[in-house]
Amino acid sequence: MKYLFKGRQTPERLELLLSLCKTSSVEIKGALSDYLVRGIDKKSAVALNGALAPNFMRALNQLNAKSEVVEHIKELDWINKRCLHF
């Protein structure tokens, strides 16, 4: 399932997600920020930052996988919080 969408992330959320990954390339991080925060299309974000498209897609897929785990944790927290109130 896709959890990350073009232009829908805050810089702070992206930084936290990146901290969960091994991505260290400034070019890839810039392209991810342009795509996920600023809403620039993938091809342009890659070109503007001098990144390689396969590396960008690999990093985006890794971020999406980490985001999926974060969302599952949030769901568990919500369920547990709700159960404690009954």
Side-chain angles (χ1 to χ4, degrees), residues 17-56:
L17 288 171
L18 284 169
S19 74
L20 299 174
C21 298
K22 295 180 181 179
T23 304
S24 61
S25 166
V26 174
E27 294 81 9
I28 296 297
K29 288 180 179 180
L32 289 168
S33 179
D34 283 348
Y35 174 67
L36 293 170
V37 177
R38 295 179 60 203
I40 296 173
D41 65 273
K42 292 176 188 173
K43 190 174 182 178
S44 297
V46 167
L48 285 171
N49 289 279
L52 297 175
N55 294 348
F56 170 81

Side-chain angles (χ1 to χ4, degrees), residues 3-4 9 13 16-20 62-78:
Y3 290 89
L4 300 175
Q9 302 303 309
R13 182 175 167 86
L16 288 171
L17 288 171
L18 284 169
S19 74
L20 299 174
Q62 287 175 351
L63 277 182
N64 194 62
K66 300 299 181 185
S67 187
E68 180 178 16
V69 172
V70 169
E71 292 303 318
H72 285 296
I73 290 169
K74 288 167 47 177
E75 287 173 13
L76 288 173
D77 288 346
W78 184 82

Side-chain angles (χ1 to χ4, degrees), residues 6 14-15 30 32-33 40 42 58-60 67 76 80 85:
K6 178 174 102 172
L14 179 59
E15 281 300 316
L32 289 168
S33 179
I40 296 173
K42 292 176 188 173
R58 187 177 312 112
L60 182 58
S67 187
L76 288 173
N80 288 335
H85 284 76

